[in-house]
Amino acid sequence: MSGPRSVPPGVQEAASLLTNAALQVLNGAAYPLKAARLMTRLVRKPVHSPGAPPGVLTHTGVRKVERVRLRLLEYDAEHLKELEPSSVQEALAARDESLVGWLNVDGLHEPEVLRELRDHFGLHLLAMEDVASVGQRAKLDEYEDNIFLSLPVLSFHKPTMTVEVEQLSLVLGPGWVLTFQEGAGEVLEPVRERLKAAQGKIRGRGSDYLAYALTDAVVDRYFGILEQLGDAAEELEGRVLENPTPGTLLGVNHLKRELLVLRKTVWPLREALGAFARTESDLVSESTQVFVRDVHDHIIQIIDTVETLRDLASGISDLYLSGVGQRTNEVMKVLTVMASIFIPLTFVAGVYGMNFEFMPELGIRWAYPVLLVLMVTLGVSMLVYFRKRKWI
Amino acid sequence: MSGPRSVPPGVQEAASLLTNAALQVLNGAAYPLKAARLMTRLVRKPVHSPGAPPGVLTHTGVRKVERVRLRLLEYDAEHLKELEPSSVQEALAARDESLVGWLNVDGLHEPEVLRELRDHFGLHLLAMEDVASVGQRAKLDEYEDNIFLSLPVLSFHKPTMTVEVEQLSLVLGPGWVLTFQEGAGEVLEPVRERLKAAQGKIRGRGSDYLAYALTDAVVDRYFGILEQLGDAAEELEGRVLENPTPGTLLGVNHLKRELLVLRKTVWPLREALGAFARTESDLVSESTQVFVRDVHDHIIQIIDTVETLRDLASGISDLYLSGVGQRTNEVMKVLTVMASIFIPLTFVAGVYGMNFEFMPELGIRWAYPVLLVLMVTLGVSMLVYFRKRKWI
Amino acid sequence: MSGPRSVPPGVQEAASLLTNAALQVLNGAAYPLKAARLMTRLVRKPVHSPGAPPGVLTHTGVRKVERVRLRLLEYDAEHLKELEPSSVQEALAARDESLVGWLNVDGLHEPEVLRELRDHFGLHLLAMEDVASVGQRAKLDEYEDNIFLSLPVLSFHKPTMTVEVEQLSLVLGPGWVLTFQEGAGEVLEPVRERLKAAQGKIRGRGSDYLAYALTDAVVDRYFGILEQLGDAAEELEGRVLENPTPGTLLGVNHLKRELLVLRKTVWPLREALGAFARTESDLVSESTQVFVRDVHDHIIQIIDTVETLRDLASGISDLYLSGVGQRTNEVMKVLTVMASIFIPLTFVAGVYGMNFEFMPELGIRWAYPVLLVLMVTLGVSMLVYFRKRKWI
Amino acid sequence: MSGPRSVPPGVQEAASLLTNAALQVLNGAAYPLKAARLMTRLVRKPVHSPGAPPGVLTHTGVRKVERVRLRLLEYDAEHLKELEPSSVQEALAARDESLVGWLNVDGLHEPEVLRELRDHFGLHLLAMEDVASVGQRAKLDEYEDNIFLSLPVLSFHKPTMTVEVEQLSLVLGPGWVLTFQEGAGEVLEPVRERLKAAQGKIRGRGSDYLAYALTDAVVDRYFGILEQLGDAAEELEGRVLENPTPGTLLGVNHLKRELLVLRKTVWPLREALGAFARTESDLVSESTQVFVRDVHDHIIQIIDTVETLRDLASGISDLYLSGVGQRTNEVMKVLTVMASIFIPLTFVAGVYGMNFEFMPELGIRWAYPVLLVLMVTLGVSMLVYFRKRKWI
Amino acid sequence: MSGPRSVPPGVQEAASLLTNAALQVLNGAAYPLKAARLMTRLVRKPVHSPGAPPGVLTHTGVRKVERVRLRLLEYDAEHLKELEPSSVQEALAARDESLVGWLNVDGLHEPEVLRELRDHFGLHLLAMEDVASVGQRAKLDEYEDNIFLSLPVLSFHKPTMTVEVEQLSLVLGPGWVLTFQEGAGEVLEPVRERLKAAQGKIRGRGSDYLAYALTDAVVDRYFGILEQLGDAAEELEGRVLENPTPGTLLGVNHLKRELLVLRKTVWPLREALGAFARTESDLVSESTQVFVRDVHDHIIQIIDTVETLRDLASGISDLYLSGVGQRTNEVMKVLTVMASIFIPLTFVAGVYGMNFEFMPELGIRWAYPVLLVLMVTLGVSMLVYFRKRKWI
């Protein structure tokens, strides 16, 4: 009675092994969470209630700092002043118009701060609305007295393999640059360091070069993110070739999405930087535009790489699917070979298990061994035949 | 005799479970109805009988109000007059040319009303035909004395997850704006409120700014609809990962269609608003065009998001299909394992069930237990082999 | 002996049911015929033998009328003359140069007629060749003294669900319009009626407005055809959701093709009408061009709808295929469940059917009922297991 | 013993029938050969060794004639001289500058001939290199004193269904035209005939019209090839609907490739002829450009048709694959139905084949016929159930 | 007892044969390595740390030579001087301004060398950064006094079938050309030879012609690589038709990737050479631009061919997959035929193996042979039926 009993556990074990992989897919650990966050990243929340007047300064993003932090940096080739004023008034009072000034605002949740800056610097209603309602497409808007530039700052969250997008708003005026961020991001730090260290020619140039340097610092980070996504693609491909599981496919899908986010973010930047490089505004000198063109070239290279990685990720999916198909084919062939060989043999055994009274073969002395030999021969010749047909 | 009897119900039950899902697909509840409505939404009805002269003012849409309702609003920075005239004559008589005037017409089924307005304001034959024959592509037509703008007003019908499209026609003339709607839609209400509350700068600006404000109110609603479709996508993805049913796939297909409707509706608007932002007509001041450019940017962002959601929806379909394929593979593997293990064993049992007279093994004392042990060994070793091959 | 006999008919019946659907596909009724006609519709016959001189006036289409029929209509705001001359000479003699003249030619198979008209009106060799060699891409050619316009006239043959394409050639000269058709199509009748009834402003305008009115009459018919194809798509989708057969898929393929024909026909018209709307020729007044722009807008809307219907048709195919895949999966699962449950049970029964002399269980009193109970338990528990795994 | 023996041949026969189709695919007769030739047709051989100076006159194609053959034709409206000079010197000496001259060169393997012509007519180094290194993309290069045009001459090799591409190089100078071909192609014969017969207006026009007439003769041949490919598509579709074999799919693939070759060949011609039609060179008169525009229109129509045929060929593949999938489904269903009906019945028979001593049913008088009836009932009711579920 | 024993080895053998192919895929020999290298080839390493000042001269590639090698070649039509200076100073000192000078730098890892050249020739900060940070997109940057051109030098590594990309930077100034390479590539050797041999007209022309000649030498090598990839495609297609293995598919995937690399590399070159051919800089004469246009044409032809090869590779994948599907179908059909024939027959045998006491057939004399005949008849008629249905 061990036969029947031994079956169910075996089946259960087999079945549980089989469905193990499937359950991994269905439960999928962190993925549904990430999917939810994807929507937040992709679908911009409405700026204001429909029909409301333009120029609303309510921050639409996440509050990342306790209170708004202002940092003013003023410099020319010889001087450098750094100040962390506690209010806009203090900052404006301290401003030395003979120097290039850079006022950085971390935290967008105090409309009053934005309004004061807007009124002082004569920014357009809509420019300041775009600062507050983060999640803008990268764009460059030229106004009469200043240029508004919205730049996506990307960072890569390694544990969840997710590309995070934050908005950096930059306003370039004659002799000054304003930058606005949600939190105290470290993306602009290297430029601050260069200014303090008087590294390169940055101190000797105007506010347009500062705007270029900040833009360049933002865009340079993209290469690092591409490299990490490239590594992820590489690793996924290795797994598809060595040990493909449904989780691998989910990983490829996840990669595709991050590339989709990246693409959606970077594409508009091409146009915005193109406009920056070609602007005829007096605010940007021709010698600076040569540098902006270089950033523009970087963006084109980044877009190229994103597209190539997308092609690659599609290739990995295809590889996975054709690998799965391949394996199913092999499983099918085993089934077919087993069934095709044993079903006829079982039939023959069944024939001689019939209880007819008059079955002359049953009484023959060598019938049984001869039949066994015949059966083995039949089975082997079918194996040979299948092999010749290259089915096994 | 319980064996044979117990089989059919089991099979029936199994089969009915299996086909349950299929029937859900085939009956599909609300979907065929929606499909029918889709056609109505996508294929515009012929404007007039082929070959008829242009300028026909027969309403081609659905009559949504009992009688045509006129609402006249006149204002400048200091004054505001509101009137609900009972006839076009009354409205025109009450008109104060020194104020900016906005005449809103709800209900398009009285050709006489449209004709009177056309003749009074000197609208082009074709512009007025486009007002009456709703379902126009979004477009901007510049005539000598006025600008005709047709805008799709979107609303989202939650129970059927359907995007409804209505047409708002807007004519901008010197000092006046005409708007035409099929029913008393609430889409323009916020602007009316702003005018009455003298909120923002709207009262101090001309009719071109009013046209912008109305356009902006229409476009702002799109973000809310995108958000709801984004939520739907999120939920569908969750279902695909947790509990995929054929209904989920139908849902994804439905989502794709709504996005198709949205895309078809919004794309032409890009061009129309681009023309609005770049027009050299005297009717639109440069300072207003800055605002129109902002709406134009919103439309580009909306198109971006629609395209991204389409990519996403395709990704969800793919996920569903690869999940279904995955499960079929697993079911196949169970079948293969069961068949591959038991078919040979059954054959062996069949051999010793043969009735040959001379089968020496049958008389051996330990043959039966030895054979049982061999069978179990064979089965287990095949299980081990399959597991090593990673088939189970 | 009823067992073996009852099998073949059942199998045959089952098999014939199964292949019934397949045969429908293979025989496919009207489809091969239509395919043949598709080629004729899509691949234009060579105009003349390669290398022959241009300007050949041999009709390349189907002769649809017994003899060429000329109809001359002359009008201005006050007068209207209608004439059906029996020859070109008679027509030209009757021509009153002070009126707008419209000469319509039904039947292109008499080169002499075409040559006389060409010589009288000073048409270009190539323009007249394009009149005779029907199947031209829609196009507008501007010559010094006249404008040649080739327009595809569409009609929908309901029984075969086929879009028929005919060519209407139109030449616009100063004060006159020539139109050429293969047969006496009714597409231009409404314009003739409007002229006679002095409906709209057509009688008060020049030959350019007549050319517009004729073009508009041709394009207006497209909407009706789109509506019918939209209805077909709707019906096919209903069938896919309710009762999909291979014939449904063939129907969708057929729909796709008709949309392909439509697309190929309508796309070039966009360009041709764009050229018409923007032409700087003295032959077309600016006020008429406003109307031509309206027809141009219609064509864009038609192209939009064709593209949307193509997307839709692809969606229906996908739905069909995923539905078929779904059903195959279910059939597979039934097979797997049946086989997985009964194959092990049959093996157990086979074990106790072996003829070993020493099988102690065989002699136990309750062995048989206990085994039956165990078997049922095993089967039921596997069913429960499968259900828990959501396989059934 | 006939049972076991009858099986192997049946299996072998069945299997050989099954693999018959597969082998047809695998051996595939002429296809690998064609594939090889495809590469030759698609990948142009390097012109010269990398880094070598430009202007090399080594023929890179196939030598098709024994020796270079020169044919000079000179004409104006009244005169016509034909000469077959044995050397370039003889040709140049015989040249009458007052007539339009057409010198045709068949055979490109004598660099000396090309060099002499180049030096005499002042052709550019690169133009003459392009003449010798055949396999150029169609292009038009304007030089100071002449226009170089490279035209692909297509012919259709019916037995292998292959499109052959040869290069015709044409140089248009003031009052003369040079043409270069690898072999004595008959493509230019009709123009030669027209010149001799003074057919059409060709004799009264200049060398630009001759260049047009030659181009037109080349392009006119494309229609015939499209027609033959269209016929092939039609026939393949018929076979897919009536009797699909793997060979049919290979045929469709072959068709797709020929269309690929055609597309790759014809697309650049569009640009080249567009440049010809718009050139501002003094060499081409405006009245001739009207004719060139006509050839340009033909090319657009040809490209349209190629694209449509490609869509069509894709449709045929899809039809084939969905037909194959359909048939597999049906085969699967037969298997499922057979197995689902007989596996349980076999189990029941197995139960009553067990050798337990105490099986009370075995002794009942009507047990056997009752069981038979029950079995038949069970089988029939399952058949009915399957049919109700529309699985058979 | 030979039966049961003979089974496991057979199964094992069958299974190992089956999985043999799969393992080849999973282990995949060299492929994972190549994948890793692909990432390196596609994702450019960040130039400098984000935010660092532009103009960094750190080499980002692989150090290929021990020390930097300078080679100076100066020439005019009559003179030629060759020098291998050990330092930049030596090179600059030896420079004869009356001759065209070509300074080639092999090895980019000594920033000092680059800086000295930059300062002497007045190169832009960014141009020199692009020289050092290899992996640039092909591009042409026009500066005031010189033109910077970055060219991808391709080579084909046959054993791994990999396209290697190296960067050649070229700066064209008035009377001089600088070239920079990572290693001592032989790609420019032929031009050096031509200069020395005074072959062609190169010695009589200026530095712009030298820049063209170097560019042409780089581009000419692409044809050879395309030819080798074309051969690979041809061979893979042959294998797909004759003996498809999973390795073949991996090979096609590999080919697709190399084509992706090629495409990504060559596309930007089109634009760069287009800018070269159209530049209005005084540095490039019009007569040289005719030659640059020729290289531009070559690039277009190369892009065409890459696209065609990509289409071709996709076609080969499709062929492979449809071939695999075809074979699975056939295996399925064999299974179905075997099971459909023998399962019913086994049932019949099972019926007469039941142990009922009252089974009248069992006692009939001819029952057994009659049943055998019936069984054979049934089996054969099913075979015939299946064949008629074209399933076998």
Side-chain angles (χ1 to χ4, degrees), chain C residues 17-324:
Chain C
L17 278 166
L18 288 168
T19 50
N20 204 11
L23 283 172
Q24 267 185 324
V25 181
L26 299 184
N27 298 335
Y31 288 103
L33 283 168
K34 256 176 289 174
R37 294 191 50 247
L38 180 74
M39 296 303 156
T40 325
R41 286 186 290 159
L42 290 176
V43 183
R44 195 166 77 100
K45 286 270 178 285
V47 184
H48 45 229
S49 54
V56 173
L57 298 182
T58 320
H59 179 210
T60 60
V62 184
R63 181 165 172 174
K64 293 190 180 159
V65 286
E66 189 53 36
R67 51 181 298 281
V68 174
R69 182 186 177 201
L70 302 170
R71 278 182 291 170
L72 178 66
L73 201 73
E74 293 178 305
Y75 66 87
D76 63 8
E78 282 108 51
H79 311 82
L80 182 110
K81 293 202 290 181
E82 201 176 4
L83 189 71
E84 206 159 311
S86 58
S87 73
V88 174
Q89 280 79 7
E90 194 188 325
L92 298 176
R95 176 79 178 99
D96 176 351
E97 296 282 341
S98 68
L99 302 178
V100 175
W102 169 23
L103 181 61
N104 181 58
V105 181
D106 294 331
L108 308 171
H109 54 279
E110 291 183 18
E112 199 46 49
V113 169
L114 302 181
R115 190 168 301 117
E116 282 171 22
L117 287 169
R118 185 181 78 191
D119 295 343
H120 177 81
F121 288 100
L123 306 188
H124 197 274
L125 269 188
L126 292 168
M128 215 43 163
E129 176 176 322
D130 287 342
V131 167
S133 60
V134 296
Q136 296 292 322
R137 243 175 145 257
K139 68 173 175 180
L140 179 131
D141 285 337
E142 278 187 57
Y143 294 102
E144 225 164 297
D145 303 321
N146 52 64
I147 291 177
F148 172 81
L149 187 60
S150 123
L151 295 165
V153 178
L154 300 184
S155 52
F156 192 71
H157 189 234
K158 196 123 193 197
T160 55
M161 300 285 293
T162 317
V163 176
E164 308 279 347
V165 189
E166 234 176 285
Q167 178 180 324
L168 173 74
S169 308
L170 184 154
V171 187
L172 165 64
W176 50 264
V177 167
L178 300 182
T179 51
F180 299 88
Q181 282 176 286
E182 281 190 330
E186 82 279 31
V187 61
L188 304 180
E189 278 317 300
V191 179
R192 196 179 297 276
E193 294 310 315
R194 266 162 67 195
L195 280 170
K196 289 188 194 163
Q199 220 186 345
K201 304 190 169 159
I202 190 166
R203 285 272 289 276
R205 293 173 176 258
S207 59
D208 55 344
Y209 192 86
L210 175 61
Y212 147 73
L214 295 169
T215 306
D216 190 43
V218 167
V219 171
D220 273 353
R221 287 167 65 104
Y222 295 1
F223 285 105
I225 288 166
L226 278 184
E227 218 185 339
Q228 288 186 286
L229 289 175
D231 289 350
E234 196 176 324
E235 198 216 309
L236 281 167
E237 181 174 61
R239 273 158 64 187
V240 163
L241 287 169
E242 276 151 33
N243 183 21
T245 63
T248 319
L249 190 57
L250 277 183
V252 177
N253 278 343
H254 178 68
L255 177 66
K256 277 185 188 167
R257 288 203 169 180
E258 295 308 308
L259 288 168
L260 201 65
V261 171
L262 208 59
R263 185 170 180 254
K264 192 182 175 254
T265 308
V266 176
W267 258 104
L269 199 50
R270 177 182 194 158
E271 202 183 326
L273 291 180
F276 196 0
R278 283 187 314 270
T279 180
E280 290 172 2
S281 162
D282 293 338
L283 291 168
V284 187
S285 70
E286 262 184 55
S287 68
T288 297
Q289 286 188 319
V290 173
F291 289 92
V292 175
R293 260 199 292 284
D294 190 54
V295 192
H296 187 237
D297 282 354
H298 290 178
I299 281 297
I300 291 176
Q301 194 149 19
I302 285 161
I303 289 172
D304 256 30
T305 309
V306 169
E307 297 301 331
T308 309
L309 282 175
R310 277 163 57 96
D311 278 356
L312 222 66
S314 295
I316 300 177
S317 304
D318 290 352
L319 206 59
Y320 176 83
L321 291 175
S322 79
V324 165

Side-chain angles (χ1 to χ4, degrees), chain E residues 285-300:
Chain E
S285 71
E286 262 183 54
S287 69
T288 298
Q289 286 189 316
V290 173
F291 288 91
V292 176
R293 260 199 291 284
D294 189 54
V295 192
H296 187 236
D297 282 355
H298 290 178
I299 281 296
I300 292 176

Side-chain angles (χ1 to χ4, degrees), chain D residues 7 11 17-18 22 26 35-36 38-39 42-46 48 50-54 124 126 135-137 139 143 243 246 249-250 253 257 260 264 320 324 328 331-332 334-335 338 342 345-346 349 352-355 361-365 367-368 371 375, chain E residues 190 194 209 212 216-217 220-221 223 226-227 230 233-234 237 241-242 290-291 294 297-298 300-301 304-305 308 311-312 319 322 326 329-330 332-334 336 338-340 342-344 347 350-359 361 382 387 390-392:
Chain D
V7 174
V11 173
L17 278 165
L18 289 169
L26 299 184
L38 179 74
M39 296 300 157
L42 290 177
V43 182
R44 194 166 77 99
K45 286 268 178 287
H48 45 229
H124 197 275
L126 293 168
Q136 296 293 321
R137 240 173 148 257
K139 68 173 175 180
Y143 294 102
N243 183 22
L249 190 57
L250 277 184
N253 278 343
R257 289 204 166 179
L260 202 65
K264 191 180 175 257
Y320 176 82
V324 166
T328 305
V331 168
M332 281 294 303
V334 168
L335 171 61
M338 298 300 269
F342 286 105
L345 295 180
T346 303
Y352 291 104
M354 292 194 295
N355 297 322
E361 300 98 315
L362 297 184
I364 298 169
R365 187 70 179 96
Y368 173 59
L371 186 66
M375 281 172 163
Chain E
R194 265 161 67 195
Y209 191 86
Y212 148 73
D216 190 43
D220 273 353
R221 285 167 67 102
F223 286 106
L226 278 184
E227 217 185 342
E234 195 175 326
E237 181 174 61
L241 287 169
E242 276 151 33
V290 173
F291 288 91
D294 189 54
D297 282 355
H298 290 178
I300 292 176
Q301 193 148 18
D304 256 31
T305 311
T308 309
D311 278 357
L312 222 64
L319 206 58
S322 80
Q326 194 68 35
N329 279 354
E330 271 146 34
M332 281 295 302
K333 281 180 194 165
V334 168
T336 303
M338 298 300 270
S340 301
F342 286 105
I343 286 179
F347 165 67
V351 164
Y352 291 105
M354 292 194 294
N355 298 322
F356 288 103
E357 279 174 26
F358 307 98
M359 293 178 71
E361 300 97 316
M382 284 182 77
R387 181 148 195 185
K390 299 216 175 152
W391 290 353
I392 52 176

Side-chain angles (χ1 to χ4, degrees), chain B residues 1-3 6-7 10-11 13-15 17-19 21-22 25-27 31-32 35-40 42-54 124-126 129-130 135-137 139 141 143 243 246 249-250 253 256-257 260 263-264 268 310 320-321 324-325 327-328 330-332 334-335 338-339 342-343 345-346 348-350 352-355 361-365 367-369 371-372 375, chain C residues 187 190-191 194 199-201 205 209 212-213 216-217 220-221 223-224 226-227 229-231 233-234 237-238 240-244 270 287 290-294 297-298 300-301 304-305 308-309 311-312 315-316 318-319 322-323 325-327 329-330 332-344 346-347 350-361 368 372 376 382-383 386-387 389-392:
Chain B
M1 299 251 296
S2 68
S6 79
V7 173
V11 172
E13 197 192 57
L17 279 166
L18 288 169
T19 50
V25 181
L26 300 184
N27 299 334
Y31 288 102
R37 295 190 50 246
L38 180 76
M39 296 302 156
T40 326
L42 289 176
V43 182
R44 196 165 78 98
K45 287 269 179 287
V47 184
H48 46 229
S49 53
H124 196 275
L125 270 187
L126 292 168
E129 176 175 323
D130 288 342
Q136 296 292 323
R137 246 175 143 255
K139 68 173 175 180
D141 284 338
Y143 294 102
N243 183 21
L249 190 58
L250 278 184
N253 278 343
K256 276 186 189 166
R257 286 200 170 183
L260 201 66
R263 185 171 180 254
K264 193 183 173 255
R310 277 162 58 96
Y320 176 82
L321 291 175
V324 165
R327 255 203 277 191
T328 305
E330 271 146 34
V331 168
M332 282 293 304
V334 169
L335 171 61
M338 297 301 268
F342 287 105
I343 286 180
L345 294 181
T346 304
V348 174
Y352 292 105
M354 292 194 295
N355 298 322
E361 300 97 316
L362 296 184
I364 297 169
R365 187 67 178 100
Y368 173 58
L371 186 65
L372 279 189
M375 280 171 164
Chain C
V187 61
V191 179
R194 266 162 67 195
Q199 220 186 345
K201 304 190 169 159
R205 293 173 176 258
Y209 192 86
Y212 147 73
D216 190 43
D220 273 353
R221 287 167 65 104
F223 285 105
L226 278 184
E227 218 185 339
L229 289 175
D231 289 350
E234 196 176 324
E237 181 174 61
V240 163
L241 287 169
E242 276 151 33
N243 183 21
R270 177 182 194 158
S287 68
V290 173
F291 289 92
V292 175
R293 260 199 292 284
D294 190 54
D297 282 354
H298 290 178
I300 291 176
Q301 194 149 19
D304 256 30
T305 309
T308 309
L309 282 175
D311 278 356
L312 222 66
I316 300 177
D318 290 352
L319 206 59
S322 79
Q326 195 67 34
R327 256 204 275 192
N329 280 353
E330 272 146 34
M332 282 293 304
K333 282 180 193 165
V334 168
L335 171 61
T336 302
V337 169
M338 298 300 269
S340 301
I341 290 172
F342 287 105
I343 286 180
T346 303
F347 164 67
V351 165
Y352 291 104
M354 292 194 296
N355 298 321
F356 287 104
E357 279 173 26
F358 308 98
M359 292 178 72
E361 300 98 316
Y368 172 58
L372 279 190
V376 170
M382 285 182 77
L383 260 182
F386 287 149
R387 184 151 192 182
R389 282 274 170 264
K390 301 219 174 151
W391 291 353
I392 54 174

Side-chain angles (χ1 to χ4, degrees), chain A residues 17-18 22 26 35 39 44-45 48 51 135 137 139 253 257 260 324 328 332 352-354 362-363 368, chain B residues 194 220 227 234 237 241 294 297 300-301 308 311-312 319 329-330 332 334 355 357-358 361 387 391:
Chain A
L17 279 166
L18 288 169
L26 299 184
M39 295 302 156
R44 195 166 77 99
K45 287 268 178 286
H48 45 229
R137 243 173 145 257
K139 68 172 174 181
N253 278 343
R257 287 203 170 179
L260 201 65
V324 165
T328 305
M332 282 294 304
Y352 290 106
M354 293 194 295
L362 296 183
Y368 174 58
Chain B
R194 267 162 66 195
D220 274 352
E227 218 186 340
E234 197 176 322
E237 181 174 61
L241 287 169
D294 189 55
D297 282 355
I300 292 175
Q301 194 149 18
T308 309
D311 278 356
L312 222 66
L319 206 59
N329 279 353
E330 271 146 34
M332 282 293 304
V334 169
N355 298 322
E357 279 173 26
F358 307 99
E361 300 97 316
R387 182 149 195 185
W391 290 354

Side-chain angles (χ1 to χ4, degrees), chain A residues 39-40 42-46 264, chain B residues 154-156 161 163 219-234 255 258-263 266 297-310 312:
Chain A
M39 295 302 156
T40 326
L42 289 176
V43 182
R44 195 166 77 99
K45 287 268 178 286
K264 192 182 172 257
Chain B
L154 299 185
S155 52
F156 191 71
M161 300 285 295
V163 177
V219 170
D220 274 352
R221 286 167 67 101
Y222 295 1
F223 285 104
I225 289 166
L226 277 184
E227 218 186 340
Q228 288 187 285
L229 289 175
D231 290 348
E234 197 176 322
L255 177 67
E258 295 308 309
L259 288 168
L260 201 66
V261 171
L262 209 60
R263 185 171 180 254
V266 176
D297 282 355
H298 290 177
I299 280 297
I300 292 175
Q301 194 149 18
I302 286 161
I303 288 172
D304 256 30
T305 310
V306 169
E307 296 302 332
T308 309
L309 283 175
R310 277 162 58 96
L312 222 66

